[in-house]
Amino acid sequence: SVGIHTTTVEIDPIVNEMAEKYFQFKSNESHVMDAREFVEDRIESGDSTHYDFVIHDVFTAGGMPVSVLSLEMWKMVEKITKPDSIIALNVVAKIGGKILRSVVSTVAQIFPNCRGFSDSKQDKSNPTANFLLFCSKSQFSFRKPEKGDYLGSKVRESYLSHMSELGISLDEYMGGEILRDDSLHSLDEEAEETAATHWKIMRDVLPNRVWNRM
């Protein structure tokens, strides 16, 4: 534990179970439901909770659930966050593709101060990557990582100590299509291509015998 009061929302009960069973994940408040419904319920109920951080990680095997990435969704997220809250958003996308451009352009409509990082150095041999976006209505900066930030994890230490080297300029990703509820399928073709590439990568990382047992 890092001493942060957390509320988690996960649509798949198996993922929730695995996180607690195998990764010792503990949440102060856990909900097994659709994230958009959760946000809508919080607003409609008049709940006064306003979150400091929102960690938005909904991409799975390259799939893109646009209903929680649309402009309408971010307007609702704005209502349950503070003026200086930070949105951390994981995006699985094709380098230079429409998906990343649309996601960045859409979230920046509401949370305009954004910084982006890739999980690896970008090159033509690796067309798909995980991108991490941090966005806020307020200006923010990152301090240098300290030993305590690594929590004894070599993976955390490796990434955090080299994070500045993996920063990407988001200027070239502005001006993309704004994702809206009434245009949810405009990026389906690229999403399917990204899903196939991402799934191949996962198959390369773990052998078939592992997937066949699931």
Side-chain angles (χ1 to χ4, degrees), residues 52 78 81-87 108 110-115 134-141:
D52 296 292
E78 181 184 24
T81 52
K82 301 175 182 179
D84 60 349
S85 295
I86 293 178
I87 311 298
I110 308 299
F111 303 96
N113 299 301
C114 295
R115 293 189 63 184
F134 294 92
C135 298
S136 178
K137 295 177 73 70
S138 303
Q139 296 289 341
F140 63 94
S141 60

Side-chain angles (χ1 to χ4, degrees), residues 47-96:
D47 192 301
S48 61
T49 302
H50 285 79
Y51 299 97
D52 296 292
F53 303 96
V54 173
I55 300 175
H56 187 291
D57 187 6
V58 297
F59 281 72
T60 173
M64 189 178 77
V66 186
S67 63
V68 289
L69 291 162
S70 68
L71 182 62
E72 290 84 354
M73 175 64 173
W74 292 122
K75 286 180 178 179
M76 288 191 289
V77 171
E78 181 184 24
K79 293 180 180 180
I80 63 170
T81 52
K82 301 175 182 179
D84 60 349
S85 295
I86 293 178
I87 311 298
L89 173 63
N90 182 61
V91 184
V92 179
K94 184 178 180 181
I95 295 172

Side-chain angles (χ1 to χ4, degrees), residues 105-138:
S105 299
T106 303
V107 68
Q109 296 288 308
I110 308 299
F111 303 96
N113 299 301
C114 295
R115 293 189 63 184
F117 300 87
S118 172
D119 65 351
S120 60
K121 292 185 177 180
Q122 300 178 42
D123 59 72
K124 293 181 180 179
S125 64
N126 183 25
T128 301
N130 278 353
F131 294 92
L132 188 58
L133 308 177
F134 294 92
C135 298
S136 178
K137 295 177 73 70
S138 303

Side-chain angles (χ1 to χ4, degrees), residues 5-9 16 20 24-31:
H5 188 285
T6 60
T7 299
T8 60
V9 184
N16 198 63
E20 294 178 351
Q24 293 78 51
F25 180 78
K26 300 297 181 184
S27 174
N28 300 97
E29 182 183 344
S30 182
H31 302 267

